[in-house]
Amino acid sequence: MMNSLYFDFCASTPLHPRAFRTLVDTVKHCYANPSSMHEMGFEASLKVEESREHIARLLQVKATELIFTSGATESNNLAILGVVRAWMKRTGRNPHIILSEIEHSSVYQCGKQLAEEGVEVSFLPVSRSGIVSPVSVKESLQPNTILVSVMHVNNETGAVQPIEEIAELLKSEPHILFHVDGVQGFGKLQVELEHIDLYTISGHKIGGPKGIGLLVAKEHIEIGPLMYGGEQEQGIRPGTTNVPAVLSFTEAIVASLEERQEKLEYLTTLHGLVCSRLATIPGLVMNSPVPPLSSPHIINFSYQGRGITSAMMISTLAKQGIIVSSQSACSSKAKQSRVLMAMTQNESISSSSIRLSLHETVTQEEAVYLVAAIEQMVSQLKSKNKFDLLQKHHVNS
């Protein structure tokens, strides 16, 4: 059986060796419930709080401003639904929030849900490069605006959003909170949280385990819980704390920050190697902007022609041992990319996209093989008619 080469690191990453060792050790030796009143429970709770303090020092925030969650989806829901509903309950008024058209589904769908509940929601357009304009943010502000949510790095195209500029313009509007989904940016790019009110990190995107995430929520923010049943995480996020995941996640955060610059330089080299060769392949449309407008760990392209779809290309590459995706794993069953439609208004481009996501463990030789496989794929797509391709995809799906 052919060994597969994995290029879907945006969806999930392997455990960092330090995170793996901590996870195994903690699962084995620290299994008590940290909310229990006995000594073993106290020891487990102490380890969690030591982790919280450690992360807080690294992020230059207060330990009381960190809320452990089950992952990015919960953190994003808590940041948006929790803030909006708490504000509505306190004021009895209807708020306005601002999101972009290219947010991750865990943010975008929160906006859609709130709109159904009567909240005013503005979805900002983006440029052809997939970037939100700070001017459009400013022009969209209303007297009842309470929250702006813009991701740091887009999870499909890698486009880096101008969060520093948005944070700067919101400084003059202290009643408006700024949430940043940092899932694809943390550990890749520099970020300062001084003027960001809410910030999301996911464990399994940075070499930590699945099932753990973090929401940084500054102390002046009122958040209503989405669940009820316990006093954990200041009563905002009830439920038994996942001690092994918290401790392993902490190691992943430490490693991500320590190794960030070295990884950035290597990923930039890989990105340049792959993109320079993809640019020579006829028929490919590059959807990711060029760094520094994009993060070097994500490359998105489309192949336009003859009804070719993302699913067909994914299937063709899989036969060559190449694992790729087309969209966020949370949106993988959609036939078109909402993000690319927002960028291009082109159905052909948005239904035939491929996302390559790189990692520091990918070798240059593997990157070269990846490009050769894509070249072969394009050659096959050009030589076969649409009916043959549809039949082959149907048989393999």
Side-chain angles (χ1 to χ4, degrees):
M1 180 178 178
M2 180 187 297
N3 291 327
S4 295
L5 293 180
Y6 182 82
F7 294 97
D8 194 23
F9 292 98
C10 278
S12 197
T13 59
L15 280 167
H16 190 283
R18 287 161 57 174
F20 175 75
R21 288 192 295 269
T22 298
L23 182 65
V24 171
D25 181 70
T26 310
V27 166
K28 185 175 181 180
H29 299 293
C30 190
Y31 47 83
N33 190 322
S35 297
S36 296
M37 298 300 292
H38 49 64
E39 184 177 356
M40 289 180 65
F42 175 77
E43 290 175 355
S45 177
L46 184 61
K47 289 181 182 295
V48 170
E49 296 313 311
E50 288 173 348
S51 290
R52 198 189 307 273
E53 292 280 355
H54 194 175
I55 296 171
R57 288 193 298 272
L58 292 172
L59 301 184
Q60 298 182 25
V61 298
K62 298 177 181 178
T64 54
E65 296 176 330
L66 302 185
I67 303 169
F68 290 117
T69 68
S70 64
T73 293
E74 184 184 353
S75 292
N76 286 336
N77 273 255
L78 195 55
I80 296 169
L81 300 179
V83 163
V84 169
R85 289 171 178 168
W87 189 89
M88 293 176 71
K89 183 178 180 180
R90 177 170 54 83
T91 66
R93 296 164 53 201
N94 205 35
H96 170 247
I97 67 172
I98 298 173
L99 314 177
S100 82
E101 288 281 1
I102 50 89
E103 296 303 309
H104 186 270
S105 58
S106 61
V107 170
Y108 187 82
Q109 293 300 331
C110 281
K112 289 293 188 180
Q113 176 62 35
L114 288 171
E116 290 183 7
E117 295 175 12
V119 173
E120 297 178 57
V121 183
S122 295
F123 291 98
L124 301 184
V126 294
S127 68
R128 177 59 182 85
S129 297
I131 297 174
V132 179
S133 167
V135 173
S136 69
V137 175
K138 185 174 183 179
E139 291 176 345
S140 299
L141 297 179
Q142 300 178 12
N144 63 334
T145 303
I146 67 165
L147 177 70
V148 174
S149 180
V150 176
M151 68 199 330
H152 189 184
V153 172
N154 182 262
N155 54 292
E156 289 190 34
T157 68
V160 178
Q161 305 305 318
I163 59 173
E164 293 85 1
E165 292 92 331
I166 296 172
E168 184 65 28
L169 76 86
L170 291 178
K171 282 169 62 177
S172 61
E173 307 282 351
H175 63 288
I176 301 177
L177 300 179
F178 185 32
H179 169 242
V180 173
D181 176 352
V183 167
Q184 293 296 343
F186 186 80
K188 313 291 193 309
L189 305 178
Q190 180 76 23
V191 63
E192 301 293 338
L193 301 185
E194 182 180 1
H195 302 299
I196 294 174
D197 301 291
L198 299 134
Y199 183 77
T200 297
I201 307 175
S202 171
H204 72 110
K205 309 292 188 176
I206 61 167
K210 297 174 179 64
I212 187 69
L214 184 68
L215 176 64
V216 179
K218 299 296 180 63
E219 62 182 356
H220 61 278
I221 298 171
E222 182 183 5
I223 299 179
L226 304 182
M227 301 185 294
Y228 299 87
E231 295 302 316
Q232 295 90 347
E233 301 303 304
Q234 307 169 56
I236 297 173
R237 202 283 178 180
T240 303
T241 303
N242 188 340
V243 179
V246 167
L247 271 60
S248 178
F249 182 30
T250 303
E251 287 297 324
I253 290 174
V254 172
S256 292
L257 295 178
E258 287 180 353
E259 300 168 2
R260 180 177 57 205
Q261 188 57 39
E262 181 181 357
K263 290 179 182 178
L264 178 62
E265 292 172 2
Y266 181 67
L267 289 170
T268 300
T269 299
L270 274 186
H271 185 281
L273 170 64
V274 174
C275 283
S276 63
R277 299 194 180 203
L278 290 180
T280 67
I281 301 176
L284 293 192
V285 177
M286 299 303 295
N287 298 316
S288 297
V290 177
L293 294 180
S294 71
S295 177
H297 72 296
I298 302 176
I299 301 169
N300 189 297
F301 67 85
S302 295
Y303 178 75
Q304 289 185 276
R306 301 166 49 249
I308 302 304
T309 65
S310 301
M312 292 176 188
M313 291 190 285
I314 291 171
S315 176
T316 302
L317 287 171
K319 293 172 188 173
Q320 301 181 65
I322 298 293
I323 306 300
V324 299
S325 65
S326 59
Q327 304 178 45
S328 158
C330 296
S331 306
S332 60
K333 295 189 184 301
K335 293 184 178 180
Q336 284 186 352
S337 163
R338 168 176 52 82
V339 169
L340 292 179
M341 276 299 292
M343 291 169 54
T344 68
Q345 289 78 52
N346 185 307
E347 292 186 5
S348 176
I349 290 176
S350 64
S351 63
S352 65
S353 67
I354 291 293
R355 181 185 71 180
L356 311 174
S357 43
L358 307 174
H359 191 260
E360 62 274 11
T361 57
V362 174
T363 67
Q364 293 194 29
E365 291 76 16
E366 290 169 340
V368 169
Y369 179 80
L370 166 67
V371 176
I374 293 171
E375 289 174 334
Q376 184 175 340
M377 173 194 74
V378 170
S379 177
Q380 290 177 345
L381 295 177
K382 287 181 177 179
S383 65
K384 291 181 170 58
N385 63 49
K386 181 181 175 183
F387 180 74
D388 287 340
L389 290 167
L390 284 170
Q391 272 201 321
K392 284 181 177 292
H393 173 62
H394 179 71
V395 169
N396 291 303
S397 60

